[in-house]
Amino acid sequence: MVKLIHTLADHSDDVNCCAFSFSLLATCSLDKTIRLYSLSDFTELPHSPLKFHTYAVHCCCFSPSGHILASCSTDGTTVLWNTENGQTLAVMEQPSGSPVRVCQFSPDSTCLASGAADGTVVLWNAQSYKLYRCGSVKDGSLVACAFSPDGSFFVTGSSCGDLTVWDDKMRCLHSEKAHDLGITCCNFSSQPVSGGEQGLQFFRLASCGQDCQVKIWVVSFTHIFGFELKYKSMLSGHCAPVLACAFSHDGQMLVSGSVDKSVIVYDTNTENILHTLTQHTRYVTACAFAPHTLLLATGSMDKTVNIWQFDLETLCQARSSEGHLKQFTEDWSEEDVSTWLCAQGLKDLVGIFKMNNIDGKELLNLTKESLADDLKIDGYSYEKEAMENWIRTKKRTSPMTNLVLPSVVLTPNRTLKMAINRWLETHQK
């Protein structure tokens, strides 16, 4: 199950992009601003919104560390921001002065790629902020860009429908027509497909376009064996142009957003649809998964960003679709489980899970019944003051089940709190 837990409605125009770091969410818009939110409670940071661009901001992305945010705009600039204080670190002007449509950091943070409406792509040195290499495609605007997880190459997508592959020296390795009516987005899974002959690593690439299609490709590249891009499959579900796509951090889900106003979440192994989300009232223009947490952000021309949370059942459903995917979680140690609990805002449960020696394998086998019967986690929601008073004056029992509670640790129900806050905001003047 996936739940809508928060809606951000601070932008005054279309939302063009959203991106996560480990602690922040960034959004950008046609209103010329970038906004930063804390993932702990989705409040906007004191130094947000970030203002510099003089025209629409098309794309934003975090450096792998999360300390730097890049944004690019119709004004022909790519700007680097300090996420801790909102100060500008650098303003990098596209050599041609053309509107910049997309920007992306390399996995090691050494480079930043920017693609422009005139088909030029620039690799910037992310430390010196100087131009490192420059290239261009023959036709169309560059509107999409993604680095391979190992950083050995990157892919750009054009409004003419071509996927072009570049190495780290800006040499064109391959170009291929991928979508007849133009590409809108592309994204690599961070998890490699199992190794193959001669120890080759293969990466899964998703692309989407104006032809209403989401396509999956398998990519490999080594200096010995060269580059290979193979079309694998097409995912069905949308009935209008698809504007955005993104893999989850573990590579087991893929999300896409469309002109048909829907968001579709796929299991990347079976390629089945897990969820179809239809809360946006206009085109869905952006989507992004958070790293290491079960959060999804979707942005739209309705000026809002929706924050969705997946439950463990959905994650396990995707991970158990094939044995090798399930092993990803089965390999978790007790410490890995504790880290995951903290990332989900469930730090108070760490002690109970450790006391019961819950590792990855045990985590996958948990059910609602085992949570209540074995771990003695009550699972019901109460008003905090009333529950604290119950514990002080009554026996250590559950008000609902009357069963003895081995622990009186209270875990905040943040999802319920956010729903109450949304209701209050709507109904109170």
Side-chain angles (χ1 to χ4, degrees):
M1 186 177 178
V2 59
K3 294 180 180 179
L4 176 63
I5 61 170
H6 203 77
T7 296
L8 304 171
D10 299 307
H11 285 294
S12 59
D13 212 327
D14 303 357
V15 175
N16 286 331
C17 185
C18 49
F20 282 101
S21 70
F22 286 96
S23 60
L24 301 176
L25 170 67
T27 63
C28 64
S29 167
L30 284 182
D31 66 11
K32 311 175 189 177
T33 70
I34 305 102
R35 292 182 180 270
L36 290 174
Y37 301 89
S38 169
L39 291 190
S40 61
D41 55 6
F42 303 109
T43 56
E44 191 165 8
L45 299 191
H47 51 271
S48 177
L50 308 181
K51 296 181 179 180
F52 175 88
H53 293 293
T54 55
Y55 290 97
V57 186
H58 294 289
C59 182
C60 61
C61 63
F62 286 98
S63 64
S65 69
H67 298 314
I68 300 174
L69 179 74
S71 62
C72 60
S73 167
T74 300
D75 62 18
T77 67
T78 301
V79 177
L80 298 184
W81 308 84
N82 183 325
T83 57
E84 294 183 358
N85 56 29
Q87 297 298 309
T88 56
L89 299 173
V91 178
M92 301 175 293
E93 297 183 1
Q94 202 76 3
S96 61
S98 180
V100 186
R101 302 297 302 275
V102 64
C103 58
Q104 190 69 41
F105 279 99
S106 63
D108 62 3
S109 296
T110 59
C111 294
L112 176 74
S114 63
D118 63 354
T120 58
V121 57
V122 174
L123 270 185
W124 303 91
N125 184 310
Q127 277 73 50
S128 67
Y129 314 136
K130 303 294 185 182
L131 189 149
Y132 171 61
R133 291 279 195 278
C134 188
S136 65
V137 296
K138 293 181 179 179
D139 300 302
S141 301
L142 286 184
V143 294
C145 179
F147 276 89
S148 65
D150 64 357
S152 61
F153 62 93
F154 67 99
V155 175
T156 57
S158 78
S159 58
C160 288
D162 295 330
L163 278 177
T164 303
V165 185
W166 312 81
D167 69 7
D168 53 6
K169 299 295 189 296
M170 284 296 296
R171 293 174 296 206
C172 180
L173 302 175
H174 183 81
S175 188
E176 175 174 332
K177 179 72 72 174
H179 293 267
D180 288 339
L181 302 178
I183 292 171
T184 53
C185 187
C186 62
N187 187 249
F188 274 102
S189 168
S190 63
Q191 302 300 318
V193 181
S194 55
E197 297 179 2
Q198 306 294 333
L200 283 175
Q201 273 197 330
F202 299 90
F203 298 103
R204 191 181 280 123
L205 173 72
S207 65
C208 57
Q210 298 287 350
D211 54 7
C212 313
Q213 297 177 352
V214 179
K215 292 184 176 181
I216 304 297
W217 311 78
V218 176
V219 185
S220 66
F221 171 66
T222 67
H223 292 290
I224 299 175
F225 296 100
F227 176 85
E228 188 173 34
L229 174 69
K230 285 186 177 180
Y231 168 74
K232 180 180 179 290
S233 57
M234 183 180 71
L235 305 184
S236 60
H238 289 295
C239 60
V242 185
L243 303 182
C245 62
F247 282 99
S248 60
H249 178 75
D250 59 12
Q252 298 178 40
M253 290 185 286
L254 176 72
V255 63
S256 58
S258 170
V259 170
D260 63 17
K261 306 175 189 177
S262 75
V263 174
I264 296 180
V265 182
Y266 301 91
D267 180 328
T268 55
N269 183 61
T270 64
E271 300 185 352
N272 293 330
I273 294 176
L274 295 174
H275 301 284
T276 300
L277 313 175
T278 57
Q279 275 70 12
H280 284 295
T281 58
R282 295 193 66 195
Y283 301 172
V284 180
T285 54
C287 51
F289 280 102
H292 299 306
T293 60
L294 303 180
L295 293 178
L296 168 69
T298 58
S300 169
M301 290 176 66
D302 62 15
K303 307 176 187 177
T304 69
V305 176
N306 284 336
I307 311 297
W308 309 84
Q309 185 169 46
F310 293 86
D311 61 11
L312 188 58
E313 181 181 354
T314 296
L315 184 67
C316 293
Q317 180 181 350
R319 285 179 172 169
S320 62
S321 57
E322 268 198 8
H324 74 277
L325 293 181
K326 190 173 181 180
Q327 289 170 8
F328 182 86
T329 311
E330 285 181 343
D331 291 338
W332 284 6
S333 65
E334 292 179 25
E335 286 302 319
D336 292 330
V337 172
S338 298
T339 300
W340 177 80
L341 287 170
C342 292
Q344 304 308 309
L346 301 174
K347 184 178 180 180
D348 292 336
L349 295 182
V350 168
I352 297 174
F353 274 62
K354 281 188 173 182
M355 183 173 60
N356 288 272
N357 304 117
I358 303 298
D359 58 12
K361 187 173 182 179
E362 292 291 333
L363 182 66
L364 285 177
N365 292 323
L366 288 179
T367 63
K368 185 175 182 180
E369 289 73 23
S370 62
L371 286 172
D373 298 338
D374 299 332
L375 300 187
K376 301 296 188 288
I377 295 175
D378 181 62
Y380 293 96
S381 295
Y382 308 96
E383 198 277 325
K384 182 180 179 182
E385 185 176 348
M387 190 60 194
E388 289 175 339
N389 184 60
W390 171 275
I391 292 170
R392 282 196 303 268
T393 59
K394 306 287 183 180
K395 296 179 181 179
R396 288 167 50 120
T397 57
S398 165
M400 292 294 293
T401 66
N402 206 34
L403 296 174
V404 176
L405 298 173
S407 170
V408 291
V409 172
L410 300 181
T411 302
N413 187 336
R414 291 184 172 83
T415 302
L416 179 59
K417 181 181 179 181
M418 290 177 183
I420 293 171
N421 287 340
R422 287 200 305 272
W423 189 91
L424 291 174
E425 290 171 0
T426 303
H427 292 82
Q428 288 185 342
K429 295 181 179 179

